[in-house]
């Protein structure tokens, strides 16, 4: 009997020695298939959440928490997002992206979901924007997905800030793209400006844009100001709007609800992706409705 107990005890100790490293690893590296609310979920009509999807762990999704409002009569347009510094994490933009999504958009940002207080790491590529679009379209057609028949695959935006803006311009020629939004960015006159991780674009890439385009810049103190303004001046074949607010390269993304940048961006997305005429008044007319907001200066071409 004593021998049997001794053997059983040794077996248990051996089993614990095998399992303990696994448990410790899970504790140190929590599974990222989780979600959380940013700020208060946004000011839009749909309380938003940020989440990691098991089917796309390389990206972070921002969308309305309750999807029951979406289906045949109302669907979620797609916004693919690229981060500043070509970062493989949207940690700097979570307030902004959560706010936009609270107005009924599916935002798919490059990079795994950042944990609370985590800044993220690694470099991203332009193809991850295409991956985001591909995933959203596939989810819409998957009967086993919570997004089945809830995504508006006919209305797709590509967007990004700084290096993410260059990534946006690199994939802007994708025929599925309905609108392009470039934040604090623009193509260098010298391709890549000698920075190896930047998309190696030339001004010729601007000719590949086929949809209405918005540039949002941080005024003359924005290091991307000259490039962005030059892009605007060279784009003559599609509707284009450039807005400047004197906040520098960092924009207002980290402010509560993404600040003024989120307000203007949301109006553009609602107009371009939801056919919201009222939101479009911010950009149309002579002068455009944005003239009522003293925070902004703007120019436009090929627009009503």
């Amino acid at each position: 009997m004593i021998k049997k107990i001794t053997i059983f005890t040794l077996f248990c100790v051996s089993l614990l020695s095998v399992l303990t490293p696994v448990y410790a690893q899970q504790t140190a590296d929590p599974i990222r298939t989780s979600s959380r609310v940013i700020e208060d979920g946004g000011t839009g009509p749909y309380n938003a959440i940020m989440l990691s999807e098991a089917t796309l762990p390389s990206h972070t999704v921002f969308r309305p928490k309750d999807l029951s409002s979406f289906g045949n009569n109302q669907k979620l347009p797609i916004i693919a997002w690229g981060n500043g510094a070509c970062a493989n994490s949207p940690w700097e933009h979570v307030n902004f992206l959560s706010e936009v999504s609270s107005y009924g958009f599916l935002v798919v940002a490059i990079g795994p979901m950042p944990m609370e207080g985590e800044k993220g790491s690694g470099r991203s590529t332009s193809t991850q924007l295409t991956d985001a679009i591909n995933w959203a379209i596939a989810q819409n057609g998957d009967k086993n997905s919570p997004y089945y028949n809830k995504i508006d695959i006919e209305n797709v935006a590509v967007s990004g800030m700084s290096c993410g803006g260059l990534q946006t311009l690199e994939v802007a020629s994708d025929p599925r793209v309905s609108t392009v939004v470039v934040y604090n960015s623009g193509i260098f006159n010298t391709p890549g400006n000698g920075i190896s991780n930047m998309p190696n674009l030339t001004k010729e890439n601007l000719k590949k844009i086929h949809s209405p385009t918005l540039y949002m810049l941080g005024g003359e103190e924005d290091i991307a100001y000259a490039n962005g303004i030059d892009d605007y001046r060279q784009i003559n074949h599609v509707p284009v709007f450039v807005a400047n607010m004197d906040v520098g390269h960092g924009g207002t993304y980290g402010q509560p609800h993404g600040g003024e940048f989120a307000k203007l961006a949301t109006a553009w997305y609602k107009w371009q992706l939801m056919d919201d005429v009222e939101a479009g008044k911010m950009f149309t007319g002579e002068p455009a409705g944005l003239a009522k907001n003293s925070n902004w200066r703007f120019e436009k071409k090929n627009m009503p």
Side-chain angles (χ1 to χ4, degrees), residues 13 49 88 120 144 162 182 201 204 214 224 259:
V13 170
I49 57 170
N88 196 44
N144 296 316
S162 193
V182 178
L201 308 183
E204 287 296 307
L214 170 65

Side-chain angles (χ1 to χ4, degrees), residues 66-72 74-77 104 106 139-141 145-153:
D66 182 3
L67 296 176
S68 63
S69 298
F70 302 94
N72 292 328
Q74 183 178 8
K75 297 189 178 185
L76 296 157
L106 177 70
Q139 289 296 300
N140 184 67
S145 169
Y147 300 102
Y148 176 62
N149 200 35
K150 294 180 183 294
I151 300 175
D152 186 353
I153 63 174

